[in-house]
Amino acid sequence: EAGVAQSPRYKIIEKRQSVAFWCNPISGHATLYWYQQILGQGPKLLIQFQNNGVVDDSQLPKDRFSAERLKGVDSTLKIQPAKLEDSAVYLCASSRTSGRWAETQYFGPGTRLLVL
Amino acid sequence: KQEVTQIPAALSVPEGENLVLNCSFTDSAIYNLQWFRQDPGKGLTSLLLIQSSQREQTSGRLNASLDKSSGRSTLYIAASQPGDSATYLCAVMEYGNKLVFGAGTILRVKS
């Protein structure tokens, strides 16, 4: 079974530029998560999708971050414009569902973003 | 709001030593607790998952315990090896399949 795929693996941009990350979850997984991990901290959930609907985006900085999951499969996370404090690893994860019962999340390798 | 704390932040031990990593959480309304391993430049690998009704889980040289009432978990690593060097993350799962992570313990095992 293929795991969660992410691209690119690394990205370097200047502040005020825009950037987009892509995630392909495990086949058949209805729930997709984007996490931000700043150096020295644990991952923080940015947004959670159930199929193509948003379940939780309470920690997403909506003035500059946006995410979509068209057709309930792949997802893109965009930052526009980027700030220095956005430098982090962006992790994508997926699970079969996210109902009342706990489901294991499977993580991708992450995209490391450096904003100069 | 759930908060997860891991102690120590970093640990350096000689090869062969037994060691304990600590995790505490503020809200006991959790479904489970997981310990993850993170290697530089890589994603997260799940090591052990303890359901809220369980007290401990074991996998090889790893043993994790959970005391839900006191909001604590420990990860015990026996006979540490240089290959165990990594960052270890503790996470609790809340309603809605939401994971809340600690900041991690950076472990270095010296040969």
Side-chain angles (χ1 to χ4, degrees), chain B residues 75-91:
Chain B
L75 178 65
Y76 175 83
I77 302 177
S80 58
Q81 303 170 358
D84 294 331
S85 298
T87 297
Y88 290 81
L89 293 163
C90 168

Side-chain angles (χ1 to χ4, degrees), chain A residues 70-90:
Chain A
L70 299 177
K71 301 180 181 179
V73 181
D74 294 4
S75 176
T76 56
L77 177 68
K78 298 179 181 178
I79 308 175
Q80 182 178 10
K83 292 185 176 182
L84 297 178
E85 57 261 37
D86 298 332
S87 294
V89 175
Y90 291 84

Side-chain angles (χ1 to χ4, degrees), chain A residues 9 33 35 37 40-43 48 55-56 91 95 97-105 107-109 112, chain B residues 1 31-32 34 36 38 40-44 46 49 51 89 93 95-104:
Chain A
R9 294 296 309 279
Y33 315 78
Y35 291 86
Q37 186 178 21
Q41 300 180 19
Q48 178 179 348
V55 174
D56 183 356
L91 295 164
S95 65
T97 186
S98 63
R100 293 181 56 192
W101 312 112
E103 291 279 354
T104 300
Q105 294 184 24
F107 285 81
R112 187 174 300 272
Chain B
K1 180 184 174 185
Y31 281 103
N32 60 51
Q34 279 186 273
F36 291 88
Q38 186 172 34
K42 296 187 178 180
L44 306 181
S46 180
L49 185 152
Q51 301 291 352
L89 293 163
M93 180 168 285
Y95 178 79
N97 226 53
K98 302 181 192 306
L99 282 174
V100 180
F101 286 85

Side-chain angles (χ1 to χ4, degrees), chain A residues 46-62:
Chain A
L46 292 177
I47 189 167
Q48 178 179 348
F49 291 96
Q50 175 77 7
N51 297 310
N52 59 352
V54 175
V55 174
D56 183 356
D57 63 357
S58 57
Q59 299 195 91
L60 186 73
K62 299 181 185 63

